[in-house]
Amino acid sequence: MITPRTLSGFKDRLPKESYAKSKMLKRIVESFETFGFSPIETPHLEYAEILKKQGSEEIQKEMYHFLDHGGREVALRFDLTVPLARFISQYKNELGLPFKRYCIGNVFRGERAQKGRYREFTQCDFDFIGTQSIGSDAEIVQVIYQTLRHLGVERFTIALNHRKIFNGLMESLGAESQTIETLRILDKIDKIGRESVCEELQSKTTLKDADITMLLDFIAQKQEGSALEFLGKLESFSANAVFQQGISELRGLCKLLRSLLPQEFYQINLSIARGLGYYTGIIYETTLGDLPTLGSVCSGGRYDNLTQNFSSDSLSGVGASIGLDRLLAGLEELGLIKGGVNVANALLIPLHSLEYGYFAAQNLRNLGLKIEVYPEIVKPKKSFAYANAKGYKYVIVLGEEEEAQKTYTLKNMESGEQKNHLSLESLVECLRVVES
């Protein structure tokens, strides 16, 4: 006999959790479409060379890749952004630019599994391709804000930074060739702490101790007051042109955001680095105020050169990704997502005629209700026990009398209250009030 088990880092979802995830996805899609983002789909499997060129060294170690039946080297996607670059390069003439898309799907990374994060997990990406307008960066922040508010989250922070600020510092140190590796290490600071990051920078880069200290002191600076005031203080830190460009673009974003969302929901955070090497401009990380240790639930940024491996056209893009599994775990912990074990409005229990029971259920479905039918004629005790086990608040009982009079009995399984001799219209009205 084979022991039923799941692979480490992968998981099954029972109906309660799956239903909660489904309801959450519906709200997320509503937010995306409110801003005019269109859905696309890309395969789980890509040619390995497409993914390997964009992933960092760490991502490449985590990538699932193998030879398929045709002897081709293929890999499971580790995110939804690199496949987007390939997609845009293939279909840009059909899509038209600028192009706004969202894509929801599973991605795979062979990393250490942790709370809310597995080796297979769902990402919800939304991207704005083909424009360098700061308005598109601002719109990404708006979507993050609206989506979390739509999900009932009241306390969260969208942290903002700009890759060119750090790139300019590295350039002024004469160490621009080590920028990606340094960023990758700095991206771990919240997980392993300053001392461990310092040791790793000393062992894996040629940066001098004084330069490492300067960089760590710089990213440790915290915004107090408005974002624009904080940026003003940073301007005098370096005369490097790239550094100043990063400050200027971040300033433009913050000016736009002032009239678009409350200032307490976003702030400059110089410590966020986004370890993926394709980011070139403004970057985002979003954390929940009541669960700071959960980590980022929505991250992203601007990438100006993502399509360079597929096309001579250097298309600019900006986007973000909601880590659905981590966010779901967080919202469940906060009591904002409650999944039921059923998706129907009520359980219909036929006590006399199975044929009439299914006929009545279909009439109710035709009127827009979701109805489950208990599939056997049994004693009420057994079918009521099933209703309780499934978490049904209401059951519709159809006995011989109800069938003869073409009426319905509606029972509240929580209070025990029962309404008899309901017409079809009255029953529908009762259940729709419950649904709303």
Side-chain angles (χ1 to χ4, degrees):
M1 298 291 290
I2 298 173
T3 303
R5 53 183 179 160
T6 54
L7 283 168
S8 174
F10 296 80
K11 68 172 294 183
D12 297 314
R13 291 189 187 276
L14 297 178
K16 182 177 180 180
E17 190 177 6
S18 291
Y19 187 42
K21 183 175 179 178
S22 174
K23 289 194 293 184
M24 187 174 162
L25 274 172
K26 183 179 179 182
R27 293 180 182 178
I28 290 172
V29 167
E30 286 173 355
S31 290
F32 292 166
E33 294 185 349
T34 296
F35 286 82
F37 288 82
S38 301
I40 69 165
E41 295 181 22
T42 59
H44 289 75
L45 209 60
E46 298 272 1
Y47 283 103
E49 64 176 1
I50 288 175
L51 301 179
K52 283 184 174 181
K53 281 194 174 184
Q54 294 289 354
S56 65
E57 182 180 341
E58 189 171 359
I59 287 289
Q60 290 189 37
K61 289 178 182 177
E62 298 171 350
M63 197 183 303
Y64 289 97
H65 58 94
F66 49 91
L67 296 178
D68 69 3
H69 295 306
R72 293 164 293 222
E73 189 177 1
V74 297
L76 288 168
R77 61 190 184 190
F78 60 82
D79 73 1
L80 298 176
T81 306
V82 178
L84 171 64
R86 189 265 307 152
F87 180 91
I88 290 293
S89 298
Q90 276 187 253
Y91 303 110
K92 62 184 177 185
N93 293 331
E94 298 172 41
L95 297 170
L97 297 175
F99 174 65
K100 300 166 71 172
R101 72 100 197 208
Y102 71 85
C103 183
I104 298 172
N106 287 8
V107 299
F108 305 83
R109 297 182 191 178
E111 58 186 355
R112 182 178 64 85
Q114 52 187 301
K115 180 181 178 180
R117 184 78 173 209
Y118 305 96
R119 290 172 179 164
E120 178 186 16
F121 53 98
T122 306
Q123 285 189 334
C124 307
D125 280 24
F126 51 103
D127 295 82
F128 208 139
I129 309 298
T131 176
Q132 295 183 350
S133 167
I134 199 70
S136 57
D137 295 80
E139 192 164 298
I140 296 299
V141 179
Q142 281 185 278
V143 176
I144 297 172
Y145 170 77
Q146 179 163 311
T147 301
L148 290 177
R149 296 291 288 169
H150 195 38
L151 290 169
V153 184
E154 295 183 354
R155 287 182 6 96
F156 60 91
T157 301
I158 306 169
L160 309 173
N161 198 3
H162 200 301
R163 268 290 178 79
K164 288 178 181 176
I165 294 176
F166 193 82
N167 291 353
L169 288 181
M170 292 295 287
E171 190 177 292
S172 66
L173 296 175
E176 57 266 37
S177 63
Q178 299 181 67
T179 298
I180 297 299
E181 178 64 13
T182 304
L183 282 169
R184 186 188 65 78
I185 297 170
L186 288 174
D187 209 19
K188 303 177 183 179
I189 198 161
D190 288 337
K191 297 178 183 177
I192 65 177
R194 176 177 173 133
E195 187 175 337
S196 296
V197 164
C198 183
E199 291 173 358
E200 195 167 336
L201 286 170
Q202 289 170 334
S203 64
K204 295 187 177 180
T205 73
T206 60
L207 290 168
K208 298 175 183 177
D209 288 351
D211 294 337
I212 291 173
T213 300
M214 182 274 288
L215 291 174
L216 290 173
D217 287 345
F218 179 80
I219 68 170
Q221 295 183 78
K222 301 295 182 184
Q223 175 188 326
E224 294 180 5
S226 77
L228 291 173
E229 289 172 354
F230 184 60
L231 289 170
K233 294 176 183 178
L234 294 180
E235 280 182 318
S236 60
F237 194 88
S238 174
N240 178 274
V242 175
F243 178 93
Q244 290 297 328
Q245 185 180 356
I247 295 289
S248 176
E249 291 178 3
L250 204 49
R251 179 185 294 278
L253 172 65
C254 292
K255 283 182 177 179
L256 266 179
L257 292 178
R258 281 188 304 181
S259 61
L260 298 177
L261 62 150
Q263 292 189 35
E264 64 264 27
F265 288 99
Y266 65 93
Q267 66 174 197
I268 309 298
N269 184 340
L270 299 172
S271 68
I272 67 168
R274 305 300 305 133
L276 291 171
Y278 49 68
Y279 290 115
T280 57
I282 294 168
I283 50 180
Y284 322 91
E285 280 196 0
T286 310
T287 52
L288 304 182
D290 295 317
L291 293 173
T293 59
L294 184 66
S296 176
V297 296
C298 184
S299 305
R302 177 165 286 281
Y303 39 86
D304 287 332
N305 305 308
L306 193 62
T307 59
Q308 64 184 358
N309 289 325
F310 308 103
S311 169
S312 57
D313 296 330
S314 182
L315 292 177
S316 181
V318 59
S321 177
I322 297 172
L324 190 70
D325 301 279
R326 180 176 290 184
L327 182 56
L328 178 61
L331 296 191
E332 286 181 332
E333 190 169 337
L334 294 174
L336 297 176
I337 292 285
K338 296 178 181 178
V341 246
N342 60 77
V343 299
N345 299 105
L347 174 71
L348 189 146
I349 299 174
L351 298 179
H352 174 65
S353 166
L354 202 60
E355 181 181 354
Y356 184 71
Y358 277 101
F359 172 77
Q362 189 56 46
N363 283 339
L364 290 168
R365 293 186 192 117
N366 290 340
L367 294 171
L369 293 172
K370 301 170 187 173
I371 302 295
E372 180 183 358
V373 178
Y374 192 80
E376 300 172 9
I377 304 294
V378 296
K379 292 181 179 180
K381 183 178 179 180
K382 184 175 181 180
S383 52
F384 283 3
Y386 175 83
N388 284 326
K390 289 286 294 286
Y392 277 110
K393 184 176 181 179
Y394 289 96
V395 297
I396 302 164
V397 182
L398 290 182
E400 189 172 1
E401 183 180 345
E402 285 85 1
E403 182 176 348
Q405 297 178 0
K406 298 295 184 289
T407 60
Y408 304 83
T409 295
L410 184 65
K411 181 178 177 66
N412 186 318
M413 297 299 290
E414 294 178 359
S415 66
E417 180 186 359
Q418 188 166 298
K419 295 182 179 180
N420 302 313
H421 309 297
L422 290 174
S423 66
L424 178 63
E425 293 77 14
S426 298
L427 175 66
V428 170
E429 184 179 352
C430 287
L431 291 175
R432 282 190 174 150
V433 169
V434 171
E435 186 178 26
S436 61

